[in-house]
Amino acid sequence: MSVLKVIRAKLDAMTEAEREIGQFIIDDPERMLTLSSAELAAATGRSQSSVVKFSQKIGYDGYQQLKLAVTRAKAQEWRVPTGMIHGTIDAGDNLVTIQQKLVASKVSAMQQTMQVNSEEAVTAAVSALAAARRIHLAGIGASSLVARDFSYKLLKLGLMVLMDSDTHVQMANAASLTDEDVLFAISQSGGNVETLRLAEMARRCGATVITLTGLHENRLSELADIRLNTVADEERVRSSAITSRDAQLAITDLVFLALVRTLPKANDAIHASEAAVALLKS
């Protein structure tokens, strides 16, 4: 997971001194890499010990380890291709400009989402889903559309999947989960009340909880056994659940493809599904 994404997600929960240091690193990581801990402290008006404590709070032993992480993040950073515009869509933009900005925002969200999810987290999610007796997919609003799409894919693999748009039905299903089952909960905000209640119920029943939320700290991810994250700057397109939906779909598609590779009879199940649907088209 990119350390720059982690810092950005945690800024709101930091102290004033930590925010000063974190914002400096986000705004100018290239300059940060040229500075010692003492020089960064001077540049931000904070003490050297504050810089060291900040590094430790982000999860590193010291400042040098943080610099290495920032170096790796910069090396992996994806930039919008030449000719594409990545910015806020304005009311005065013409249609071509809107197209360019929209596509750039979507591609950027999906690319950054892939970067922040570790191979270990994705592999753990795949293993849990592959071994589950039942899989309960949960999502409200736009997230329910992603959950529904994911359910169709999992059903093609022959997995036992529960998905219902009615929250009362979802809660009833969650109450019947066991330690052999998995709840896969999707919420960009991680604060949706209905989805939180479902995750709490699943935990009480002993089920494995997988969450797919924004990278920021949130209550839903705190309930998770396995955390997956999305990166989506909705302000860039000024419309609800456009880039976040694409980011969610990118991760669920990745998990699906990994399951196809993992499950021994996955391809047979997919072909059987396609053949069955073909009968309706003849």
Side-chain angles (χ1 to χ4, degrees):
M1 181 181 295
S2 166
V3 66
L4 297 176
K5 302 298 180 188
V6 172
I7 293 172
R8 183 176 288 109
K10 293 179 178 292
L11 274 182
D12 289 342
M14 291 181 178
T15 65
E16 183 179 350
E18 291 166 346
R19 279 197 300 274
E20 289 280 352
I21 297 168
Q23 194 63 58
F24 183 96
I25 295 171
I26 291 171
D27 291 342
D28 199 350
E30 290 88 355
R31 184 184 174 196
M32 173 265 187
L33 292 173
T34 69
L35 302 177
S36 66
S37 59
E39 290 168 336
L40 178 58
T44 57
R46 301 296 172 179
S47 66
Q48 188 173 3
S49 63
S50 295
V51 173
V52 175
K53 289 178 181 177
F54 174 86
S55 303
Q56 293 170 341
K57 185 165 187 176
I58 297 300
Y60 300 95
D61 293 335
Y63 181 62
Q64 290 305 314
Q65 287 75 21
L66 175 60
K67 288 180 72 174
L68 287 173
V70 173
T71 299
R72 288 194 295 269
K74 291 300 296 177
Q76 296 171 356
E77 187 179 69
W78 180 85
R79 287 181 170 79
V80 177
T82 302
M84 295 185 76
I85 304 170
H86 186 28
T88 301
I89 294 175
D90 298 319
D93 289 340
N94 60 39
L95 185 58
V96 172
T97 300
I98 292 173
Q99 290 173 341
Q100 291 176 322
K101 289 183 178 180
L102 180 60
V103 171
S105 295
K106 285 172 171 282
V107 173
S108 179
M110 289 187 287
Q111 182 65 38
Q112 292 182 72
T113 291
M114 291 298 182
Q115 290 178 356
V116 301
N117 287 282
S118 67
E119 183 177 352
E120 291 77 13
V122 175
T123 300
V126 170
S127 297
L129 292 169
R133 179 179 67 104
R134 290 188 303 172
I135 301 167
H136 184 172
L137 296 177
I140 302 299
S143 293
S144 71
L145 302 178
V146 178
R148 179 69 67 186
D149 176 81
F150 193 31
S151 74
Y152 293 152
K153 291 183 170 68
L154 297 182
L155 285 169
K156 286 184 178 181
L157 299 179
L159 299 175
M160 178 60 183
V161 182
L162 301 173
M163 169 61 203
D164 199 288
S165 57
D166 189 305
T167 54
H168 289 189
V169 175
Q170 287 192 48
M171 185 62 80
N173 288 338
S176 67
L177 296 175
T178 71
D179 59 4
E180 297 180 286
D181 302 322
V182 168
L183 172 72
F184 193 107
I186 304 173
S187 171
Q188 176 64 21
S189 69
N192 182 277
V193 175
E194 292 94 333
T195 308
L196 284 171
R197 296 296 174 266
L198 289 167
E200 291 167 350
M201 175 64 74
R203 285 196 66 87
R204 287 198 294 271
C205 294
T208 298
V209 177
I210 303 173
T211 60
L212 177 57
T213 73
L215 189 58
H216 56 280
E217 294 183 6
N218 62 82
R219 176 58 182 150
L220 184 59
S221 66
E222 292 174 0
L223 296 170
D225 298 293
I226 302 168
R227 298 177 181 86
L228 300 175
N229 297 107
T230 54
V231 177
D233 187 357
E234 294 292 2
E235 286 302 313
R236 293 193 180 277
V237 289
R238 290 188 180 175
S239 185
S240 177
I242 290 183
T243 55
S244 61
R245 181 193 59 212
D246 290 311
Q248 290 168 345
L249 287 169
I251 288 299
T252 54
D253 284 349
L254 175 63
V255 171
F256 168 72
L257 293 173
L259 279 167
V260 172
R261 185 188 65 177
T262 301
L263 296 172
K265 297 182 179 180
N267 285 317
D268 291 340
I270 291 174
H271 292 321
S273 175
E274 291 174 346
V277 173
L279 293 174
L280 301 176
K281 298 179 180 179
S282 58

